C-alpha cells in the first residue's frame, strides 16, 4: 500500500538509505539476457559493465542474472567475449 | 540603537546580525548593495558566513538550495531580472521545504529595460511556493528579515522579504536596530531537520517522482503554505513581546470608522497614510489597507476586513497582463466572491517602471472611491493612474 500525502516525509525526501532496492527496474524489460553457465569463462566483464548490478556473483563467480533489477539493456551480452558468447538476448515474454 | 540606514543597508545589517552559514549571491541593481555590503562584513571577519560569489542568479539560488539541503542557515538577495533568472530554482527550494531567506528589491521586469520600482518581479514569483512579505520602509525591512529567518525555519518554507527599488533601497531613513546579542539570542541555533550531511541518518533529496507519488508530495507542499500563516503571526507576536515592534499580516491605518478604504502595498502605502491624515483633517472618513503578507494570501482576514467598507480602491504596482487587472485586485475579487457583503472595488494600476505617485494622485483615488461608495457604481473597473494617454 502506498502512503497518503499526510504520512509522507516533508520535501519529498527519501529518509532511508538503499531504498532503490525496493524499486524493481526489471519491470521495464523488453528483452531478457539468458546466461549459459557451460560457456562462461568467469572473466566477470558482464559484472563490471552491468549498469544495474544485476549480474549475480557468489564467491567471485557469476551464477546468474537478477531479473528483479535487470532492465534488459543487453550490455552484458554485447560485452561478453565473443568466443565465450555466454549471454544471449531473447524477447521478454510477459 | 537609532541609526541612519538605506533600505539596502538595513537589510545587509540584519543579515550581518543573523550571521548565516552561507550566502551565495550575484549583484543586480538596485539590490547590489545588500550583498556587496554583506561581502565586506565577510571580508572584515564580522560574520562566520561562507560567501559564494557565483556567476548568475540561477547559480546563486542553486548554491543556496545545496547549502540549505546540507542543513545550513542560508540567505541571499536579488531583484528583477535576477529573480526571474532564479525562477526555476525558486520552485525547487520551496518543494524541498528549505528554509532560505531572500531579500528582494522590487524592480520592474524588462522589456523595456528599466531599473526602478514596480512589483512585477516578485509578483511573477507568487506561485513558486515562497512566503512573500512586502515591507513599507527600512525599519520594517530590517525587522522582517530577522523575522523571516524564524518563519522559514518553523514553516519549513523559503521566505522572500521585499523593499521598493530606490524609493526604499536607496532612501536614507532613521531606523532602530537591535543589539547583535539580542538577535542571536532570539534566533538561536537553527532547529535540526533532515539534511544531506547527517551521515548517521542518510537521506535522498530531489529524487525522480512520477505518477505514483508526485501528486501526494505536491499536496503536502500546498499544505505547508496553507498552514504557514499561524507561524508568521506567532513570530510577529513574539517579536513584539521581545522588541516592541509589531507587524500584522495586513496592516491597517485609520480604518475603524472609515467609510471607504484604499489598498496598497510597499512604499506607496506610506505615502497613502499621509493622504489619509490630510483627508481626515477635512472630515473625510477614509482609511488604508496595506497588504504585508501576500503569500500565503490572507484570504479570511481580508474577507472580514473588506466587507465593512462602502467601496475599496485597490492600488497595484503591477499588471497581470491577463485582461483582468493588477495582482491584488484579481486576488481580492477572488476573495470577495465568497463574502456576504461585496463592496464595489476599483483597480488603480500605478507607478510602473518607477513612475512616482503623488499625494495629489492618491487623494484623487480616495475621492473617486468615496464617490463609488455613495453611488455603488464602478464604471471603469481597471484604470491606469499617472500614465499619459
Ligand atoms: S541486460 Fe543490462 S541490466 Fe540486464 S544483466 Fe545485462 S547488463 Fe545488466
Ligand atoms: S562476460 Fe560472459 S564469459 Fe565473462 S563472466 Fe560474464 S557471462 Fe561469463
Amino acid at each position: 500500500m502506498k502512503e497518503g500525502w499526510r504520512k509522507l516525509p516533508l520535501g519529498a525526501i527519501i529518509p532511508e538509505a538503499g531504498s532503490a532496492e525496493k524499486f524493481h527496474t526489471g519491470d521495464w524489460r523488453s528483452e531478457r539476457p539468458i546466461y549459459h553457465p557451460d560457456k562462461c569463462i568467469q572473466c566477470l566483464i558482464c559484472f563490471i559493465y552491468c549498469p544495474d548490478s544485476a549480474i549475480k556473483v557468489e564467491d567471485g563467480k557469476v551464477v546468474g542474472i537478477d531479473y528483479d533489477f535487470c532492465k534488459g539493456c543487453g550490455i552484458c551480452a554485447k560485452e561478453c567475449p565473443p568466443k565465450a558468447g555466454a549471454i544471449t538476448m531473447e524477447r521478454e515474454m510477459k | 540603537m537609532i541609526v541612519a540606514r538605506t533600505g539596502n543597508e538595513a537589510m545587509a545589517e540584519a543579515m550581518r546580525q543573523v550571521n548565516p552559514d552561507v550566502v551565495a549571491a550575484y549583484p543586480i541593481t538596485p539590490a547590489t548593495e545588500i550583498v556587496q555590503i554583506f561581502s565586506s562584513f565577510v571580508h572584515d571577519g564580522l560574520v562566520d558566513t561562507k560567501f559564494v560569489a557565483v556567476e548568475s542568479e540561477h547559480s546563486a539560488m542553486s548554491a543556496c538550495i545545496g547549502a540549505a539541503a546540507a542543513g545550513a542557515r542560508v540567505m541571499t538577495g536579488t531583484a528583477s531580472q535576477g529573480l526571474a533568472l532564479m525562477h526555476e530554482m525558486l520552485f525547487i527550494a520551496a518543494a524541498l521545504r528549505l528554509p532560505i531567506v531572500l531579500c528582494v528589491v522590487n524592480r520592474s521586469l524588462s522589456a523595456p529595460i528599466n531599473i526602478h520600482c514596480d512589483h512585477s518581479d516578485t509578483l511573477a514569483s507568487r506561485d513558486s511556493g515562497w512566503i512573500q512579505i512586502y515591507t513599507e520602509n527600512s525599519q520594517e525591512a530590517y525587522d522582517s528579515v530577522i523575522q523571516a529567518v524564524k518563519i522559514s525555519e518553523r514553516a519549513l518554507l523559503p521566505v522572500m522579504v521585499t523593499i521598493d527599488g530606490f524609493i526604499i533601497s536607496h532612501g536614507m531613513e532613521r531606523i532602530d536596530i537591535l543589539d547583535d546579542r539580542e538577535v542571536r539570542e532570539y534566533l538561536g541555533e537553527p532547529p535540526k531537520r533532515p539534511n544531506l550531511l547527517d551521515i548517521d541518518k542518510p537521506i535522498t533529496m530531489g529524487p525522480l517522482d512520477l505518477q505514483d507519488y508526485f501528486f501526494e508530495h505536491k499536496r503536502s507542499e500546498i499544505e505547508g503554505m496553507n498552514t504557514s500563516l499561524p507561524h508568521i503571526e506567532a513570530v510577529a507576536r513574539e517579536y513584539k513581546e521581545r522588541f516592541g515592534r509589531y507587524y500584522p499580516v495586513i496592516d491597517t491605518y485609520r480604518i475603524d470608522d472609515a467609510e471607504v478604504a484604499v489598498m496598497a502595498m510597499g512604499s506607496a502605502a506610506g505615502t497613502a497614510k499621509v493622504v489619509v491624515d490630510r483627508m481626515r483633517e477635512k472630515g473625510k472618513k477614509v482609511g488604508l489597507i496595506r497588504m504585508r503578507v501576500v503569500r500565503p494570501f490572507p484570504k479570511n482576514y481580508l474577507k472580514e476586513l473588506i466587507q465593512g467598507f462602502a467601496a475599496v480602491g485597490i492600488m497595484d504596482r503591477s499588471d497581470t497582463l491577463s485582461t483582468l487587472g493588477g495582482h491584488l485586485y484579481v486576488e481580492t475579487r477572488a476573495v470577495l466572491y465568497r463574502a456576504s457583503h461585496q463592496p464595489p472595488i476599483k483597480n488603480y494600476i500605478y507607478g510602473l517602471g518607477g513612475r512616482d505617485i503623488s499625494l495629489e494622485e492618491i487623494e484623487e483615488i480616495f475621492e473617486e472611491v468615496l464617490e463609488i461608495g455613495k453611488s455603488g457604481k464602478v464604471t471603469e473597473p481597471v484604470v491606469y493612474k499617472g500614465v499619459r494617454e
Side-chain angles (χ1 to χ4, degrees), chain B residues 161-231:
Chain B
V161 179
T162 86
I163 53 174
D164 281 355
F166 288 103
I167 303 163
I168 301 300
S169 69
H170 288 63
M172 184 74 73
E173 288 187 88
R174 182 182 174 278
I175 69 166
D176 188 357
I177 61 167
L178 305 167
D179 284 348
D180 291 2
R181 191 183 40 81
E182 286 179 304
V183 176
R184 290 185 191 172
E185 268 174 27
Y186 171 57
L187 294 178
E189 283 295 308
K192 226 174 137 35
R193 55 191 164 84
N195 69 74
L196 292 177
L197 291 189
D198 187 346
I199 51 169
D200 296 327
K201 279 198 192 127
I203 60 163
T204 302
M205 274 182 153
L208 183 69
D209 199 12
L210 300 178
Q211 296 97 323
D212 53 349
Y213 273 106
F214 180 91
F215 200 171
E216 282 71 27
H217 285 130
K218 211 25 96 173
R219 178 66 187 86
S220 164
E221 183 193 348
I222 293 163
E223 193 69 3
M225 180 59 80
N226 288 353
T227 55
S228 62
L229 203 62
H231 292 298

Side-chain angles (χ1 to χ4, degrees), chain B residues 279 284 362-372:
Chain B
M279 298 189 72
K284 303 200 167 156
I362 297 177
E363 187 159 345
E364 283 163 21
I365 293 174
F366 271 110
E367 289 293 357
E368 216 178 292
V369 177
L370 278 166
E371 277 309 308
I372 295 169

Side-chain angles (χ1 to χ4, degrees), chain B residues 182-384:
Chain B
E182 286 179 304
V183 176
R184 290 185 191 172
E185 268 174 27
Y186 171 57
L187 294 178
E189 283 295 308
K192 226 174 137 35
R193 55 191 164 84
N195 69 74
L196 292 177
L197 291 189
D198 187 346
I199 51 169
D200 296 327
K201 279 198 192 127
I203 60 163
T204 302
M205 274 182 153
L208 183 69
D209 199 12
L210 300 178
Q211 296 97 323
D212 53 349
Y213 273 106
F214 180 91
F215 200 171
E216 282 71 27
H217 285 130
K218 211 25 96 173
R219 178 66 187 86
S220 164
E221 183 193 348
I222 293 163
E223 193 69 3
M225 180 59 80
N226 288 353
T227 55
S228 62
L229 203 62
H231 292 298
I232 300 171
E233 294 186 284
V235 168
R237 279 194 303 272
E238 291 163 15
Y239 199 85
K240 184 187 179 217
E241 277 162 29
R242 270 182 180 251
F243 308 123
R245 286 188 292 275
Y246 179 65
Y247 304 101
V249 169
I250 303 177
D251 183 23
T252 55
Y253 189 66
R254 303 187 78 167
I255 59 156
D256 283 350
D257 63 339
E259 282 157 17
V260 304
V262 161
M263 179 194 289
M265 191 159 82
S267 60
T271 318
K273 284 175 185 172
V274 176
V275 177
V276 168
D277 287 343
R278 279 190 181 182
M279 298 189 72
R280 285 275 175 177
E281 277 169 28
K282 295 182 206 161
K284 303 200 167 156
K285 292 193 170 165
V286 297
L288 179 83
I289 299 168
R290 178 173 72 92
M291 298 304 285
R292 176 169 182 266
V293 176
V294 170
R295 285 291 178 276
F297 199 72
K299 56 179 181 180
N300 294 330
Y301 287 135
L302 187 62
K303 193 172 75 182
E304 274 310 303
L305 185 65
I306 213 168
Q307 290 185 80
F309 300 108
V312 180
I314 298 174
M315 291 175 64
D316 267 303
R317 203 164 199 150
S318 61
D319 189 286
T320 57
L321 290 120
S322 65
T323 75
L324 294 170
H327 293 83
L328 288 179
Y329 175 71
V330 170
E331 301 203 337
T332 304
R333 280 189 74 164
V335 164
L336 275 178
Y337 188 74
R338 295 218 170 272
S340 48
H341 169 66
Q342 303 187 346
I345 60 175
K346 176 161 175 160
N347 194 195
Y348 298 88
I349 291 170
Y350 74 100
L352 302 189
R355 173 72 47 87
D356 270 337
I357 181 102
S358 67
L359 295 168
E360 290 68 32
E361 284 169 314
I362 297 177
E363 187 159 345
E364 283 163 21
I365 293 174
F366 271 110
E367 289 293 357
E368 216 178 292
V369 177
L370 278 166
E371 277 309 308
I372 295 169
K374 284 196 196 98
S375 67
K377 286 197 187 72
V378 179
T379 41
E380 216 183 336
V382 182
V383 294
Y384 296 84

Side-chain angles (χ1 to χ4, degrees), chain A residues 2 5 8 10-14, chain B residues 95 97 203-204 212-213 216:
Chain A
K2 287 173 182 161
W5 67 267
L8 294 179
L10 295 186
I13 63 168
I14 298 173
Chain B
R97 305 298 298 271
I203 60 163
T204 302
D212 53 349
Y213 273 106
E216 282 71 27

